[in-house]
């Protein structure tokens, strides 16, 4: 028996080395952007490609529960910022002393600076009363919408567009501002725009809030808690 060298054949469906590197580059250099937005409006074809990427996401039972509300109006973005600001003050109070001071120094949104806001929603009624794959965990609709968001985020990266996820607000405030029906979940407000720079690491790591965990500590073998090299239980 001998091993076939890998580069002598291309696995069905595999990308070329250059394509693979490009995809991994998009994944590893995607960033959450808060403050680096430029005011330039995004061309419609760029927005269309990013939304098409979002819409290509997997979804439970193919229910496609997402909607994308595009908000360009500065006054409405200002109102969204006020909604954020109220919740952000509440959030700061949830941390104790030193951590609260560090929290207050963080910039956690670019709602007014980014020329485009996109509110992504999840409609749990989209697929009818019973949805294939969602029968025993109703949250699968939100998980599906997060897949669409991640696709959007990666597409934005390859377009040179920055995206920042803002989740610090009361659902009912955002629903009221944007006329979103009561039964629809607000997944986030996304600040979208060209950027003057991208950090090479998560901003929260650079600012000393939290660091990336070592991957090897997060991979278990066979049973919860058993990491590679541990003796068999
Ligand atoms: C569900 C969810 C919700 C939020 C976020 C992310 C996700 C997945 N993130 C962005 C988050 O802080 C960021 O992704 C991590 O810090 C890692 O940084 P990079 O995305 O790798 O740059 C985020 N960032 C922020 O400044 N304000 C926010 O309200 C949120 N909310």
């Amino acid at each position: 028996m001998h091993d076939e060298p890998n580069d002598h054949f291309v696995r069905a469906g595999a990308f070329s080395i250059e394509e693979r590197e490009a995809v991994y580059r998009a994944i590893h250099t995607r960033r959450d952007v808060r403050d680096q937005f430029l005011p330039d409006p995004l061309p419609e074809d760029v927005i269309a490609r990013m939304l098409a990427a979002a819409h290509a996401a997997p979804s439970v039972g193919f229910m496609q529960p997402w909607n994308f509300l595009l908000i360009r109006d500065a006054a409405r973005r200002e109102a969204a910022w006020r909604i954020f600001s109220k919740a952000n003050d509440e959030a700061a109070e949830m941390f104790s002393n030193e951590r609260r001071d560090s929290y207050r120094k963080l910039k956690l949104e670019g709602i007014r600076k980014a020329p485009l806001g996109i509110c992504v929603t999840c409609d749990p009624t989209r697929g009818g009363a019973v949805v294939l794959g969602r029968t025993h965990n109703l949250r699968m609709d939100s998980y599906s919408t997060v897949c669409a968001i991640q696709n959007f985020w990666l597409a934005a990266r390859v377009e040179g567009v920055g995206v920042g996820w803002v989740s610090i607000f009361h659902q009912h405030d955002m629903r009221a501002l944007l006329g979103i029906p009561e039964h629809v979940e607000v997944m986030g407000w996304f600040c979208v725009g060209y950027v003057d720079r991208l950090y090479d690491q998560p901003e929260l790591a650079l600012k000393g809030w939290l660091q990336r965990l070592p991957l090897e500590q997060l991979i278990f073998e066979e049973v919860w808690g058993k990491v590679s090299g541990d003796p068999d239980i």
Side-chain angles (χ1 to χ4, degrees):
M1 235 178 81
H2 62 277
D3 287 330
E4 202 61 47
N6 264 341
D7 36 345
H8 281 196
F9 63 94
V10 176
R11 287 180 195 279
F15 283 17
S16 70
I17 290 170
E18 293 75 21
E19 289 168 333
R20 205 167 63 197
E21 280 174 357
V23 172
Y24 284 131
R25 181 167 168 236
I27 290 170
H28 291 293
T29 65
R30 181 210 49 77
R31 285 279 76 81
D32 187 60
V33 177
R34 288 99 181 198
D35 208 22
Q36 298 81 29
F37 290 106
L38 299 170
D40 316 49
L42 295 170
E44 290 304 318
D45 61 317
V46 173
I47 298 173
R49 283 196 295 273
M50 297 190 312
L51 291 176
H55 192 46
S59 61
V60 68
F62 203 31
M63 78 182 279
Q64 307 158 70
W66 42 73
N67 282 93
F68 309 98
L69 266 94
L70 277 56
I71 302 111
R72 297 184 176 88
D73 181 59
R76 196 168 278 113
R77 284 190 285 114
E78 179 74 31
W81 178 81
R82 284 197 295 273
I83 286 171
F84 156 82
S85 190
K86 178 180 89 170
N88 198 41
D89 287 345
E90 295 166 0
E93 292 310 311
M94 295 175 195
F95 297 97
S96 52
N97 305 331
E98 221 177 281
R99 204 65 172 153
R100 184 185 311 140
D101 295 340
S102 314
Y103 181 87
R104 285 222 168 271
K105 286 188 193 125
L106 296 170
K107 174 93 166 94
L108 295 174
E109 55 74 40
I111 298 171
R112 291 174 300 181
K113 207 168 176 192
L116 175 65
I118 301 187
C119 181
V120 181
T121 59
C122 173
D123 182 349
T125 64
R126 181 74 42 89
V130 185
V131 172
L132 183 159
R134 186 171 166 252
T135 50
H136 293 73
N137 187 342
L138 294 179
R139 293 164 74 199
M140 291 298 156
D141 55 0
S142 311
Y143 299 171
S144 304
T145 310
V146 173
C147 292
I149 292 167
Q150 179 71 348
N151 270 10
F152 179 81
W153 219 337
L154 291 172
R157 178 65 192 89
V158 306
E159 299 281 358
V161 171
V163 170
W165 190 328
V166 184
S167 55
I168 304 163
F169 53 78
H170 290 282
Q171 291 263 321
H172 56 84
D173 286 344
M174 204 55 90
R175 280 200 196 97
L177 176 68
L178 302 175
I180 298 169
E182 190 63 33
H183 71 277
V184 171
E185 183 184 4
V186 181
M187 301 296 294
W189 175 287
F190 294 84
C191 308
V192 186
Y194 288 120
V195 292
D196 56 12
R197 62 172 294 196
L198 273 185
Y199 289 116
D200 62 358
Q201 286 181 56
E203 206 174 319
L204 290 186
L206 289 172
K207 304 266 163 79
W209 182 259
L210 275 179
Q211 299 307 315
R212 192 180 298 284
L213 301 170
L215 175 59
E216 56 275 17
Q217 288 178 10
L218 305 176
I219 302 172
F220 297 153
E221 305 240 354
E222 308 294 346
V223 288
W224 178 266
K226 183 174 181 289
V227 297
S228 178
D230 279 357
D232 282 340
I233 298 169

